[in-house]
Amino acid sequence: MIEQKYLYQIIATIVALVIFMILRYLVNTIIDNIGKTSEFAESRTQLVKKYIDYFIYMLALLVIISIWGIKPEQIFLFISSVLTVIGVAFFAQWSILSNITAGIILFFSSPFKIGNVIKIMDKDYPIEAKIIDIRSFYTLLKTAKGEEITFPNNLLLQKGVVVMNNI
């Protein structure tokens, strides 16, 4: 049988999980509605939902950790340590950070869309291909020969890109 001293934490955890599931559902519904009324591409809407979901999961984790009695000072010390390690790793892997940043810029500026045929102006290796998907780190392209190319987002911002058609 469950000990009486843990009954409060168990009930509070269940209530918190239910609240966060409802919050996630409501936020995703709102994002879907905004995406449809603003005529955003489905992939853009899904990307926003994914990032918001990550934020909600982290918030839920912090709430559950605090319910179970871990002191806020310990949580912040742990988070700051993890962020420091991540910061050092990102500094060591700046290309990852630049691809994420470029993905965010491409998301908000949307210079081209999924389905567009683009030509990347590179003197050594010009590419003409159809955009299959735009992801956080890279854009998936498909050439007329059927080759699939994963092209880093930061290079899409650095190179000249010509949109050949608007589908």
Side-chain angles (χ1 to χ4, degrees):
M1 183 166 166
I2 300 173
E3 290 187 38
Q4 190 67 24
K5 66 180 183 176
Y6 294 122
L7 189 59
Y8 165 76
Q9 284 91 351
I10 293 171
I11 292 171
T13 300
I14 292 170
V15 169
L17 289 174
V18 168
I19 289 172
F20 279 109
M21 288 187 331
I22 292 170
L23 177 67
R24 181 179 172 270
Y25 173 77
L26 291 174
V27 169
N28 283 336
T29 303
I30 291 169
I31 291 170
D32 279 336
N33 289 337
I34 291 172
K36 287 176 186 172
T37 58
S38 300
E39 297 180 2
F40 288 139
E42 181 68 24
S43 61
R44 291 181 73 191
T45 306
Q46 293 300 325
L47 188 62
V48 170
K49 285 170 46 176
K50 180 171 69 171
Y51 288 142
I52 296 293
D53 283 349
Y54 288 151
F55 176 74
I56 290 173
Y57 295 148
M58 293 303 293
L59 189 60
L61 182 65
L62 287 175
V63 167
I64 291 170
I65 286 172
S66 66
I67 287 172
W68 284 90
I70 298 175
K71 296 177 183 171
E73 299 84 27
Q74 293 171 332
I75 295 171
F76 293 126
L77 177 64
F78 174 75
I79 290 173
S80 64
S81 300
V82 168
L83 290 177
T84 302
V85 170
I86 290 173
V88 170
F90 273 150
F91 182 73
Q93 297 293 329
W94 69 270
S95 64
I96 293 174
L97 184 59
S98 67
N99 279 320
I100 292 172
T101 305
I104 292 169
I105 292 170
L106 289 174
F107 174 78
F108 283 109
S109 66
S110 61
F112 36 75
K113 299 178 180 121
I114 294 173
N116 287 145
V117 175
I118 61 170
K119 184 175 184 179
I120 300 170
M121 308 302 282
D122 186 353
K123 69 176 186 169
D124 296 328
Y125 189 68
I127 298 172
E128 187 172 327
K130 182 177 183 179
I131 298 175
I132 303 300
D133 196 7
I134 301 172
R135 301 202 176 158
S136 301
F137 295 101
Y138 62 89
T139 298
L140 184 61
L141 306 170
K142 190 168 194 173
T143 66
K145 295 178 183 178
E147 302 168 321
E148 289 192 1
I149 301 170
T150 55
F151 203 81
N153 286 335
N154 64 346
L155 291 181
L156 280 175
L157 291 180
Q158 294 174 11
K159 306 284 182 184
V161 176
V162 177
V163 178
M164 303 300 282
N165 68 353
N166 291 319
I167 297 177

